[in-house]
Amino acid sequence: MTEETTEWLYLLGEDARIVGISGYTVRPPRARQEKPRVSAFTSAKIDRILELEPDCVFGFSDLQADIAAELVRRGVQVTIFNQRSVEQVFSMLYQVAAMVGRAERGLELLQGMRERLEAIRTAAAALPRRPRVFFEEWDDPLISGIRWVSELLDIAGGDDCFPELAAQPLGKDRILADPGEVVRRNPDIVIGSWCGKKFRPERVAARPGWEQVAAVRDGQLFEIKSADILQPGPAALTDGVEQLHRIVMDWSRAHA
């Protein structure tokens, strides 16, 4: 019922174990052609899942608690992960690998990811100046980035404009009641990842008062697809952080 475990099982070479996936799954692309879609994010086809006779169902976060409870009542083993930090993502991935008997292979893959993150961190440490970054998870209402995004941004060389909100696990607790606060914090870069819809930089630039923001003035408005950064699994630890780092490094070269 969650994207990241599907991607991870494919990477582990254990995709034959998967009998059904989330309809939001896009990584790897072949999963959508090979596996039946049995859930959204806050809803699921319970009868269809039962027909597949799974030995275990994987889910993510408190938002899937009601689905999990119904499956448990119907006799299904359910594992719900609730990772919010980078280290919690690593822990979740290791647990899944161990559950399918691929702990050693999982550790190999995870070590490669850790080494790349350290290489990125080292490169970022040499920057003469770190840009201030506003990561926009949603536009109406305005929601700032979740914890793992903030941590990956730090590794990539940027400073989160709203680090105090990143610690909040729920989106409703990361809502910016006053969009003017973004103007006051004046980010050098704005990165949008509007889950389920395309980021529209022209709409961001047209917000009242935002013409004063450095990112708007300098045309530093970027999109990272939600599948690459808001999926707390392999995607965020690889493609997501790479895109963050590329944006930060390009900004740094332009402002050297």
Side-chain angles (χ1 to χ4, degrees), residues 121 124-125 127-136 144-147 149-166 182 185-191 215 244-245 247-249 251-252:
R121 191 193 299 275
L127 293 176
R129 178 185 159 202
R130 295 170 63 92
R132 300 179 305 276
V133 181
F134 173 50
F135 187 94
E136 186 170 303
S144 64
I146 199 166
R147 180 177 172 184
V149 173
S150 182
E151 291 179 352
L152 290 173
L153 178 59
D154 178 72
I155 291 170
D159 291 333
D160 185 358
C161 275
F162 292 93
E164 74 280 11
L165 295 181
V182 179
R185 299 197 186 193
N186 193 27
D188 299 297
I189 298 170
V190 171
I191 298 173
L244 289 172
H245 187 52
I247 290 168
V248 167
M249 296 302 284
W251 179 90
S252 181

Side-chain angles (χ1 to χ4, degrees), residues 38-56:
V38 298
S39 76
F41 189 62
T42 57
S43 63
K45 301 173 183 176
I46 300 296
D47 290 341
R48 181 67 177 120
I49 293 173
L50 295 174
E51 288 173 5
L52 296 170
E53 299 182 341
D55 297 304
C56 181

Side-chain angles (χ1 to χ4, degrees), residues 195-210:
C195 190
K197 66 179 181 180
K198 183 175 176 57
F199 177 63
R200 300 291 297 275
E202 71 278 8
R203 291 186 182 176
V204 174
R207 291 171 182 163
W210 282 48

Side-chain angles (χ1 to χ4, degrees), residues 206-234:
R207 291 171 182 163
W210 282 48
E211 70 279 357
Q212 306 171 42
V213 175
V216 173
R217 184 193 65 223
D218 298 338
Q220 296 295 295
L221 308 175
F222 304 96
E223 178 181 32
I224 297 179
K225 299 291 186 183
S226 56
D228 292 340
I229 191 67
L230 294 180
Q231 180 214 104

